[in-house]
Amino acid sequence: MAIWIYAEHKNGQLKKVTLELLSEGRKLAGQLNEELAAVLIGKDVAALAATLGEYGADKVYLAENDALENYTTDGYTNVLAALAKEQQPAAILLGCTVQGRDLAAQVAQRLGTGLCTDCTGLELADGRLVFTRPIYAGKAFVKAAVPEARPAMATVRPNVLGVTAPQAGRSAEVIKADAQPGDIRQVIKDIVCQISTRPELTEADIIVSGGRGMKGPENYKLLDELADVLGAAVGASRAAVDAGWVPQSMQVGQTGKTVSPVLYIACGISGAIQHLAGMSSSKCIVAINKDPEANIFKVADYGVVGDLFEVVPLLTAEFKKMLD
Ligand code: FAD
């Protein structure tokens, strides 16, 4: 019984989380002596199958159809659920992205199976997949499994699993899958893209984030300057979003994006539990806050008690010197 990875892609590129899932899936499939398959859905996406093979897929189920050019809940659910019903995989893993969360919930419901969401680890115990997921906004971790129903499904947080090096020339068997999208109730009228040279928040290795302590939208340029030197993405707390200083797409936390960068620099953020829920799995947290009692210092690896309007420009200048 195979392990399946949902191959999420955007603008003709596989998302990094797809490569992370393939790398982890390859290890698990090897331990189980089962095959690893990727499911690739879209329009004119066949070229991505080569990369999926190099990163470990034994098979690629390719479902191409003009009506699948853009992601729709109905179209992609119909295709993935029908394929899973036909092929009966042991597990389906998706990225815990906006698309992955939406699709996983629909497909799990359609298949009548269990879904573990927002996982940060996968392992095998007695031949069964066991998922680690944070609870209580990251204060504790629980291990969960889908006991009987199959496939066991999970969404996995981007940036927590590593990517193994691709094997040049390794290829996957490409199987054309039934790509009938059925009735699609969603109508996509327009796609508005935000043009940015910065990495996407959920995939960034470094995030510089600002909260109410930024005092106003004009001061985010301080964070932009630091982010530009570090090649980082810029995030925000909900207080900053609610104040209308920055767009909601920048919000990190329980009702915003979940991020796991290598480095998260929190500037003028108090560390409310709802904010921590979205960033506490960052590998290294640096907090800059003028209140030594701020909650953020409880999760920070490094803390600077000070005025961000002094500290951030100093950091930018120092990093510039180091990186020039
Ligand atoms: P504050 O708590 O006001 O903290 C500002 C900090 O800036 C303070 O610690 C202060 O000491 C510091 N500061 C001020 N001036 C300076 C300076 N010059 N230099 C250095 N430090 C300075 N919040 C989120 O972030 N994300 C979410 O997804 C989210 N979801 C929520 C969902 C629900 C259902 C609810 C009820 C709340 C949610 N919240 C969320 C809101 C959350 O509870 C907090 O209100 C919010 O995170 C606070 O944002 P903040 O830390 O920027 O502001």
Side-chain angles (χ1 to χ4, degrees):
M1 295 240 280
I3 294 181
W4 281 13
I5 306 297
Y6 170 66
E8 188 173 339
H9 53 86
K10 192 176 176 187
N11 300 331
Q13 302 279 329
L14 290 168
K15 297 271 267 183
K16 189 170 151 219
V17 70
T18 302
L19 307 182
E20 292 166 1
L21 290 173
L22 279 173
S23 303
E24 193 68 15
R26 183 67 266 152
K27 282 185 226 155
L28 297 169
Q31 287 166 25
L32 284 168
N33 212 12
E34 295 289 355
E35 69 184 17
L36 179 69
V39 181
L40 182 56
I41 305 175
K43 180 191 170 195
D44 298 334
V45 289
L48 297 175
T51 312
L52 293 168
E54 288 182 345
Y55 279 90
D58 299 311
K59 275 185 185 163
V60 174
Y61 290 101
L62 175 65
E64 286 189 307
N65 189 312
D66 287 357
L68 298 168
E69 179 172 12
N70 294 309
Y71 175 79
T72 54
T73 308
D74 283 340
Y76 278 53
T77 300
N78 290 337
V79 169
L80 182 55
L83 192 59
K85 271 187 189 156
E86 180 191 291
Q87 296 292 329
Q88 305 277 317
I92 308 179
L93 308 176
L94 303 90
C96 192
T97 57
V98 172
Q99 192 182 114
R101 288 189 224 191
D102 184 59
L103 183 60
Q106 297 284 333
V107 171
Q109 188 277 334
R110 199 71 74 79
L111 300 176
T113 192
L115 167 67
C116 292
T117 56
D118 197 21
C119 300
T120 53
L122 310 172
E123 64 193 286
L124 284 174
D126 300 328
R128 189 164 78 162
L129 268 178
V130 176
F131 307 105
T132 303
R133 61 187 304 272
I135 53 169
Y136 304 126
K139 281 193 185 305
F141 289 87
V142 69
K143 292 202 175 203
V146 179
E148 279 164 15
R150 290 290 172 269
M153 289 187 63
T155 59
V156 180
R157 204 177 267 200
N159 262 358
V160 295
L161 306 172
V163 178
T164 48
Q167 287 179 43
R170 188 187 184 284
S171 63
E173 179 191 357
V174 179
I175 299 162
K176 287 223 163 166
D178 185 5
Q180 290 312 313
D183 281 343
I184 300 180
R185 289 165 297 175
Q186 295 84 29
V187 178
I188 297 174
K189 292 200 166 164
D190 199 7
I191 295 179
V192 182
C193 296
Q194 208 172 2
I195 308 291
S196 170
T197 50
R198 300 226 171 88
E200 200 184 310
L201 201 52
T202 53
E203 294 192 346
D205 283 335
I206 306 178
I207 295 174
V208 181
S209 212
R212 208 193 311 263
M214 295 305 299
K215 308 252 190 290
E218 64 284 2
N219 296 324
Y220 272 78
K221 69 173 186 307
L222 288 179
L223 303 190
D224 288 339
E225 283 161 9
L226 179 55
D228 285 342
V229 174
L230 295 174
V234 179
S237 72
R238 179 162 159 179
V241 172
D242 286 351
W245 299 345
V246 291
Q248 208 275 336
S249 57
M250 281 170 64
Q251 184 182 320
V252 172
Q254 187 182 312
T255 43
K257 291 191 171 138
T258 304
V259 298
S260 293
V262 177
L263 175 62
Y264 188 88
I265 307 178
C267 308
I269 293 178
S270 62
I273 190 159
Q274 296 90 352
H275 188 79
L276 301 185
M279 46 62 79
S280 59
S281 59
S282 305
K283 279 145 206 103
C284 179
I285 298 171
V286 175
I288 304 167
N289 197 303
K290 64 182 185 185
D291 174 9
E293 302 299 322
N295 202 42
I296 191 81
F297 289 126
K298 293 193 183 137
V299 296
D301 298 282
Y302 299 95
V304 182
V305 179
D307 186 339
L308 73 90
F309 294 100
E310 290 168 21
V311 177
V312 172
L314 286 174
L315 274 181
T316 306
E318 281 305 309
F319 279 127
K320 231 184 215 161
K321 272 191 235 157
M322 278 168 62
L323 299 171
D324 263 355

